[in-house]
Amino acid sequence: MIRKILINIGVLAALLVAGDVSAQPSCRAAIPPVPADGYYAVDLSLDMLGHARRDLSDLRIIDQEGKEVAWLLCDDSERVFRGSFEPFATEVTSTPKETKVLIETDGKPLSAFTLCMKNADADKRATLRGSNDREKWFAVKERISLVNISNPERTEAYIPIEFPLSDYRYYLITIGDSLSAPLNITGVGVQTKQYSFVSPRMQEVPVKELNIRTEGKQTNVLLVLPYTIEVANLGFHISAPEYFSRDVKMDGVYQSYTLTSDKGRPLVVHYPNYSDSIRMVVYNKDDRPLQIDSIQVFAKKRYLVAGLKQGVGYRLTCGDAKARFPQYDLSFATQLPDSLAHLTLQQVELSPVIPGEAEAPWWIFLKTYGIWIIIVLISLQILYSIRKMLKQNPKQS
């Protein structure tokens, strides 16, 4: 009896284990060689994020000998500075040799200005003088350097100029232009209520299909993505009407949104959702439908930090349905430098599941209810053996 029970258990267990062994990563990519031993940030491509599990527990960094490398998952972010800009009355005059910026203030003590100018790749030298009557000028600061005159987010840059605390009514900034063209200065003022915050960096997810259909007083929108991914924001490009305010209901979230005109700039809506498609309804009421030109989809940029060695080949894999979140001690987390070199994945290979090779229904049933089948078989085997023993040894009356 015991032998038969063990045989049944062994056969079913072997089948279930065989199913675990067959699980393989569906996405793999090469990590470029590193110039020296150290810690590096491996940027996760959209393909990796789209084929990995939602919690990214199936990501693995494997070296050329097949050994796992510990990694730390991070969100890519930047510190953003914000503040209000209060301009002064300003006059800008230029000659072939120099640009003069005359600034009129209220005479209150100041120790800094902010120059607002169009972005330029230039290196300029300037001086600052002060006066109370615009006739007699006094030195305030010499040898001012104007460099890094660019803003990656806008076409205008804000350059701070610090100087000793002064209370002149007028200030004159003189910028040397003898060796290059003048700067396009659009204003001078002070920035107040400055604050900073950490903002996640985003990457755009390609939209496979955009379907917009208006029926009655509502517009139905469907966006189809190439894979299931964690969406963060949506950017709406709406060309008409000029002014609008429409309520929007999106699938997968409980809150409603309001789209309000923003002078031609894209409207960015925070939309945290994990899906391969996005459905929404725009309620037009009695207004004409919105002219939606396009909708951008954004996901957070994420990367893995790992210690890599020079001359060793590494690859990153994901998509193993049987993988569990790795348990690394991550003892290096507190030793990381302030900045890390970022690596871009190469030779990304995708292995989508072929419909003909999908798991058969009987196999899905066996994996789901296999343990219960084993229990039932053991119970039946025990009952049969007890019944057989009772027949062979009837009770004596």
Side-chain angles (χ1 to χ4, degrees), residues 48-152:
M48 276 290 172
L49 292 174
H51 287 80
R53 291 162 61 176
R54 183 172 187 175
D55 60 358
L56 305 182
S57 61
D58 53 336
L59 291 174
R60 296 292 185 273
I61 297 179
I62 310 296
D63 66 14
Q64 59 194 24
E65 296 180 356
K67 297 179 180 179
E68 276 191 40
V69 177
W71 49 259
L72 175 67
L73 178 64
C74 300
D75 289 338
D76 200 352
S77 61
E78 61 181 341
R79 181 163 291 278
V80 180
F81 295 88
R82 291 286 185 266
S84 60
F85 181 75
E86 297 180 3
F88 292 127
T90 306
E91 296 179 12
V92 181
T93 57
S94 295
T95 67
K97 292 185 178 181
E98 62 185 15
T99 297
K100 291 185 176 181
V101 183
L102 178 63
I103 307 160
E104 181 179 356
T105 72
D106 55 8
K108 293 181 180 179
L110 292 172
S111 61
F113 285 140
T114 298
L115 268 67
C116 181
M117 62 188 71
K118 292 294 185 180
N119 288 339
D121 185 4
D123 186 352
K124 297 281 190 176
R125 296 295 179 269
T127 61
L128 176 64
R129 296 181 177 88
S131 174
N132 287 318
D133 56 11
R134 295 182 58 174
E135 294 183 1
K136 192 172 183 179
W137 294 92
F138 302 94
V140 177
K141 186 172 183 178
E142 303 286 341
R143 298 180 299 278
I144 301 173
S145 296
L146 300 179
V147 295
N148 298 326
I149 310 170
S150 63
N151 185 339

Side-chain angles (χ1 to χ4, degrees), residues 275-347:
S275 179
D276 61 353
S277 62
I278 301 171
R279 297 177 184 272
M280 67 188 77
V281 178
V282 181
Y283 297 99
N284 301 310
K285 297 183 180 178
D286 295 323
D287 285 303
R288 61 171 172 151
L290 299 178
Q291 179 60 48
I292 303 175
D293 299 324
S294 63
I295 301 177
Q296 293 176 286
V297 180
F298 297 96
K300 290 182 180 179
K301 284 187 175 182
R302 313 188 78 177
Y303 60 87
L304 304 181
V305 177
L308 306 179
K309 296 183 178 296
Q310 182 183 14
V312 178
Y314 298 93
R315 70 180 186 276
L316 177 64
T317 67
C318 72
D320 184 350
K322 299 298 179 181
R324 296 294 180 265
F325 210 102
Q327 298 182 353
Y328 305 130
D329 57 23
L330 300 179
S331 56
F332 61 86
T334 58
Q335 308 299 324
L336 295 176
D338 294 334
S339 61
L340 294 167
H342 283 250
L343 304 176
T344 302
L345 296 174
Q346 301 173 345
Q347 304 169 9

Side-chain angles (χ1 to χ4, degrees), residues 180-230:
S180 60
L183 297 173
N184 186 0
I185 298 174
T186 59
V188 180
V190 292
Q191 284 188 308
T192 60
K193 301 179 182 178
Q194 293 188 1
Y195 63 96
S196 66
F197 58 93
V198 176
S199 175
R201 287 192 172 97
M202 298 290 172
Q203 54 186 334
E204 186 175 354
V205 181
V207 176
K208 187 177 180 180
E209 178 185 344
L210 173 59
N211 190 307
I212 303 175
R213 186 179 69 259
T214 299
E215 297 178 351
K217 295 185 178 182
Q218 66 184 38
T219 300
N220 300 304
V221 180
L222 168 65
L223 291 96
V224 180
L225 307 178
Y227 28 62
T228 303
I229 196 169
E230 191 84 40

Side-chain angles (χ1 to χ4, degrees), residues 29-49:
I31 298 176
V34 297
D37 295 357
Y39 292 100
Y40 293 86
V42 181
D43 292 331
L44 296 176
S45 64
L46 288 171
D47 286 331
M48 276 290 172
L49 292 174

